[in-house]
Every structure is written in C-alpha cells, then in structure tokens.
Amino acid sequence: MHPTTQIAKNHILISRSLFHEAMRVSESKAYKKSVQKIALILIALYLAVAAWLWYTGGSLFFLLGESVFLGALLFWLMVMLPNTRRNSKYKAMVQGSDSLPERTVVFYQDRLSVTSNTGKITWIPYSDVAGWLETKNLYLLNCRNNISVLLDKKGFVEGDFKTVKSFVFDGPAISDRIN
C-alpha cells in the first residue's frame, strides 16, 4: 500500500461535555495521587486535632469549624480545581469562537493527521502513539508531548476503530507499512 492510502477517517464536534469526559479519563495519575496524599495528610491532621480536643476537653464548636473547613478544602481540591483546569483548557481550544471545535482525523499507512476547523493540520507518526483509552462516547489516543487525539465512536466516516487499533498497535512494523 502507498503511504497516503487512507485506512480510516473520523470526524468529531467537541462539545464541552465530550471534552470533560475525555479530560476526566486522561487526567494525570500523578495529580490524582498527589491530591489523595494531601487529603490523607489533612484527614490525619484533623483526627489529631480531634483527639487533642477530646483529651483536653476542648470546644466541640472548634471541631465543627475544622470539619467545615476540611470539607470545603477537600471539595475544592477534588471537584472545583479539576473542573477549573478543564474549563480553562476548553476555552483555550475554542479560542473565543462561538462554534464548537471540530477535528477530522485521518489515518494513513505511517501516520495520522488531525485537521482543525481552522484548517491547521497536525501530523503524528504512529511511533508517537503510546496507547489508547475508551470512554462512553470517545476513544482517546495518547501521544507523546502530552497530546491526546479524540475520536468520536460514532464519527467514523471511513473504517472503524477496530481497524485503526489493529493497524496502529498490532499491525506491521513502520518500515513494512510504508512499502
């Protein structure tokens, strides 16, 4: 096959909900572990304060205030901060436009291309594709340089993900694909 032969083609309109779905599944494991460690430290400190108050006969009103503060802090760390990060990344992708971002991903023999609705084309060699994830509505290709390519499960115009997956991850070596 010729290197410019299309294997598959996917078109996606990236709504805010689809973007959030992708971000939730692809968030850094290191970030999640850091938040869990901070939460454990805060809970340990809370328990130490509670034990100290119980031992000294301190005010339970103070403990109630600490409980509210701890709850608010944990809520901010686990819910608000990640949502804020997702929203800012989505706004950067939209770039002030009123229309939804669109991407067309075309899979060739040795690489894939991602074309945005502005016409910008990004080429990604298959050697840069490290793995994939699946959500309810999407497939995500994780690539080097912190790049994720979103594929709509219902957006395949040509081919399907099974073909893409078998070719990109299980297929012949790159030198065999080009020839």
Side-chain angles (χ1 to χ4, degrees):
M1 281 194 250
H2 196 268
T4 57
T5 303
Q6 284 188 15
I7 298 166
K9 186 175 187 178
N10 186 279
H11 184 76
I12 183 171
L13 283 171
I14 306 172
S15 65
R16 185 178 297 273
S17 62
L18 280 179
F19 185 78
H20 282 265
E21 180 180 325
M23 289 292 292
R24 273 189 299 275
V25 76
S26 65
E27 277 183 337
S28 163
K29 290 180 184 177
Y31 174 77
K32 289 179 183 178
K33 283 187 177 186
S34 297
V35 168
Q36 288 173 348
K37 286 179 183 177
I38 290 171
L40 287 175
I41 291 169
L42 290 172
I43 290 170
L45 286 172
Y46 172 80
L47 291 175
V49 168
W52 180 74
L53 284 174
W54 180 72
Y55 178 73
T56 61
S59 169
L60 293 179
F61 186 71
F62 179 77
L63 188 60
L64 177 65
E66 289 295 316
S67 300
V68 170
F69 177 75
L70 179 64
L73 187 58
L74 290 175
F75 179 76
W76 180 79
L77 274 174
M78 294 179 177
V79 177
M80 298 303 292
L81 184 61
N83 280 338
T84 302
R85 291 175 64 215
R86 289 183 209 123
N87 285 335
S88 65
K89 287 184 178 188
Y90 187 76
K91 283 181 184 178
M93 185 173 61
V94 172
Q95 297 175 349
S97 174
D98 292 334
S99 61
L100 294 177
E102 295 180 57
R103 302 291 185 266
T104 302
V105 182
V106 180
F107 295 88
Y108 297 100
Q109 297 300 309
D110 60 344
R111 60 189 173 183
L112 64 97
S113 70
V114 180
T115 307
S116 69
N117 50 334
T118 62
K120 180 184 176 199
I121 300 174
T122 303
W123 293 95
I124 302 172
Y126 291 143
S127 59
D128 283 358
V129 180
W132 64 278
L133 298 169
E134 182 176 3
T135 69
K136 179 182 174 188
N137 300 299
L138 301 168
Y139 296 110
L140 281 88
L141 298 179
N142 295 320
C143 306
R144 290 185 186 158
N145 298 327
N146 206 23
I147 295 173
S148 291
V149 178
L150 305 179
L151 303 172
D152 189 342
K153 285 185 173 179
K154 297 176 185 175
F156 281 94
V157 179
E158 297 175 25
D160 57 14
F161 188 71
K162 183 179 178 183
T163 305
V164 168
K165 189 172 82 167
S166 67
F167 191 84
V168 174
F169 298 104
D170 305 328
I174 291 176
S175 60
D176 295 336
R177 294 178 194 162
I178 295 173
N179 297 327

